[in-house]
Amino acid sequence: MAHHLARVLLVLGALSLSGCAAFSPDSGMTAVSELTSQTIKKDVAFVRTAEGAGAVDARVRQLLSRTLTAETAVQVALLNNKGLQAAYNELALAETDLIEQSLPPNPVFSVSRISGNGASEIERQVVGDILALATLPFRSDIARERFRQAQLRAALATLRLAADVRRAYVRAVAGNEMVVLLTDAKATAESTAQLAVKLGETGSVNKLDQAREQVFYAETTADLATARQAATSAREKLARLMGLWDDGLDFRLPNALPPLPRPQALPSIEADAVAHRIDLQIARLELTALAKSLNLTEATRFVTLLDLAGISRRTQDPESAPFRERGFDVQFQIPIFDGGEVRVRQAAETYNLAFNRLTERAVNVRSEARDAYRVYRSTYDIASHYQREILPLRKIITEEMQLRFSSMQVDIFALLTEARQRLASLRGAIDARQNFFLAQSELQTAVNGGGAPAAGGDNPTNIAAAAPADGGH
């Protein structure tokens, strides 16, 4: 009997092994690469070998050899950021969980020997977890859903990094543009302040006007120092996101933001966001896995322990011939005090919790998409208004003031007052374009995902109480 039971356990284990998952050659990165290439049109790489690291370093050096655009900065970060590589390591670890949950429980073999007064007894046992074998297909299916979630979380980390790089790039380039503008303004203010001092020495300018010109120069100097600090900090943040070490910190950035593009018309922005947001896809898979776990919990609510052991015992006595005994041992839990109601209730409430969070997230996604598009269009209109109306009018005013100054119709102080106003308009135009490009990045984030983690994070709901025993894994 024990021999037959052992054979049964081995056969069941072999059948289970035939359906086990195997490690993929890329640790599930194919799905991540497909998702990111569809949304941001960029390459990703999971670096695990010296050859792969060398290829990535060569590609990064090539991208850094020319002036960076927003797209090349994103590509450098996706290849070189070690935090993103850590997220891909987590995906590889998730695959190990999938393989573990797809394997049947190992049988336990035990041998005991008792002897005394010339007699001896040898007992052998092969113990297998029958319940774990019976539920293996269900647990494996749940593990595959979990692994799919891990792939989406890796893709979400990729999109978040890309969005962070775009924002940092816009701020760094806008900072450079502001520094260039204020550098020119400081030179002009310094010249006018020196002119005011000379005119004051001849008595042509009173102390009040002299002080006004000098304070304008002093304020412009302070603004330039502040702008340089902000530009340096923005550049450092961009360097951190791109994962650059000492040899890559001399990367080049343009001194001005690009011209305004044509605005996008997105009439189906809400539907696009609900269909494409990766965080929503993660929540949907979580709900699916919880539903399967709930069904498994209900199916095993009364029996959570079922072990079958084949026993072979050989007894040898010096006064009689040796004899052999065979049998089996079954262990199962008697549901006297706990009939599984607690585990079923935990699983049901965990499912309801995940369902409500998914519904809340869907509502928020629609609202975020609408708001992101409104901000995108409003910032475009403001930046375009500066380009079409304010700056051309300021240019006309400057030219006319210079003509009147040349013909001595206005004095130097009227010209300087207009220069201050024009500087304010130019600074406003830079801020408006920066806000637009930031809003453009936020709009892409609202549609595809990759923004700041939602309240409660992206971690799957804890269903430890809802899952059945793992059969000794």
Side-chain angles (χ1 to χ4, degrees), residues 54-69:
V56 166
D57 289 341
R59 178 80 184 280
V60 169
R61 286 195 298 270
Q62 178 188 10
L63 294 172
L64 294 175
S65 64
R66 51 185 182 269
T67 301
L68 285 181
T69 64

Side-chain angles (χ1 to χ4, degrees), residues 279-329:
D279 50 352
L280 275 184
Q281 296 181 44
I282 293 175
R284 293 188 189 105
L285 286 175
E286 172 67 16
L287 200 63
T288 301
L290 285 172
K292 293 178 180 179
S293 178
L294 177 59
N295 292 334
L296 184 57
T297 301
E298 291 178 342
T300 60
R301 61 179 298 183
F302 295 111
V303 179
T304 58
L305 173 65
L306 180 57
D307 289 342
L308 176 63
I311 303 173
S312 174
R313 181 181 298 135
R314 182 177 184 273
T315 303
Q316 183 173 356
D317 192 316
E319 297 180 358
S320 61
F323 61 94
R324 186 181 299 275
E325 300 172 290
R326 295 184 179 88
F328 65 91
D329 176 64

Side-chain angles (χ1 to χ4, degrees), residues 15 139 193 301 306 350 399 427 431 468:
L15 291 175
R139 291 187 293 107
R301 61 179 298 183
L306 180 57
T350 304
E399 293 172 351
R427 295 178 69 174
D431 289 338

